Amino acid sequence: MMDEPQVTIGMPVRNGGQQIRTAIDSLLAQTHRNIRLVISDNCSTDETREICREYAERDSRVTLHEQPVNLGICGNFRFVLMQAKTPYFLWACHDDIWSPEFIQRNLENLMAHPSAVCSTSRVAMVSLEGDRHLSNGTFALQGDKVERLRRFLWDPGEVSRFYGVFRTEALKRSFPEDIDVFGYDWIVMALNLLEGEHLELPEVLLTREDHTVDHYQKTLVRWEPRRLYRWMPHLPMSRILRDRLPAEVWKASRRGVLRRNAIQTLMYAKYRIPVMAPLVNGLASLERARSRTRSNIRVGA
């Protein structure tokens, strides 16, 4: 008889298509077997619901919620988290692939470090064209909370730490209901870093689909009718962080938040005014080179 599950996997999805089969198969093949997979289908218009029903019918570890109304991306991520009754939790996207030992290795890492609230492996980002690079958003964040938040908000990278293994109750406290803004995942990670440290395993145990920069700009245009918040999409996020972070943490982190606002404005300018692309690309190249240097130092340490 299988023990009570230790880990809930929350998979929020809308129109996952055939990619979701590969994702679910890799999750159900984890070496740590005591899991619960909670899928929340957010009004899909393709075959996603039918595929997920198949898995729920043949594997008792899988539960499917078919949402009657669209919860939005942020709302659907929060929904699956709030279903968790296990000590540990991770989010899963329909287009990602996990190595069999992903959960086991990160769970062992958390158990060995009581002060930590998150553990992730390194993450490979792979584009539809097959280009591959390491995510720059999984680096460990340890030490006191002021230093953790300062380092994170200065350069959060691709925020792939969002898909690590978390202590459930600490993560629930980090995800308020009223943060449905562009960059909500950064807010959740910032609030979670108030709860404790984030760890990184040196191995690549997760592969994620890498979207183009324009993917996020197109999403912004589609969902944000206000022109100001298209040009300054992180302004609502910044206000939430200012109001929710302790004063000493905000004081140490606000320069990084301002920097993120400037970078996002430049990326939107590149999208809306193509003539600015060479300038923005040049600045982005400098950022990538600096990130690769930092990553190489960590790997070689």
Side-chain angles (χ1 to χ4, degrees), residues 72 100 118 121 149 171 175 184 190 211 214 221 279:
C118 171
S121 71
L149 269 294
L171 188 58
F175 205 143
Y184 73 90
H211 298 291
D214 283 356
V221 169
L279 172 62

Side-chain angles (χ1 to χ4, degrees), residues 40-106:
S40 174
D41 182 83
N42 205 17
C43 303
S44 289
T45 57
D46 65 358
E47 69 271 39
T48 297
R49 288 194 177 195
E50 289 71 25
I51 293 171
C52 294
R53 285 172 189 159
E54 291 176 20
Y55 281 95
E57 288 170 1
R58 68 172 184 250
D59 195 316
S60 61
R61 296 176 296 169
V62 181
T63 301
L64 172 63
H65 295 268
E66 301 183 23
Q67 300 299 341
V69 296
N70 193 321
L71 300 178
I73 297 172
C74 177
N76 209 21
F77 269 85
R78 190 174 188 277
F79 175 85
V80 292
L81 169 61
M82 295 304 158
Q83 307 314 301
K85 302 295 189 293
T86 54
Y88 301 95
F89 177 89
L90 73 145
W91 278 297
C93 289
H94 74 274
D95 50 3
D96 293 346
I97 302 173
W98 295 259
S99 297
E101 63 274 22
F102 178 86
I103 291 178
Q104 181 177 336
R105 290 292 313 283
N106 282 296

Side-chain angles (χ1 to χ4, degrees), residues 6 32 48 74 83 87 93 100 105 107 117 119 152 154 163 167 170 191 203 217 254 257 270 280-281:
Q6 283 186 294
H32 183 85
T48 297
C74 177
Q83 307 314 301
C93 289
R105 290 292 313 283
L107 195 57
V117 293
S119 173
F152 171 67
W154 180 259
Y163 300 97
R167 298 190 193 275
L191 296 179
E203 303 92 343
Q217 307 308 325
R254 59 190 176 191
V257 175
K270 173 187 171 183
V280 177
N281 287 340

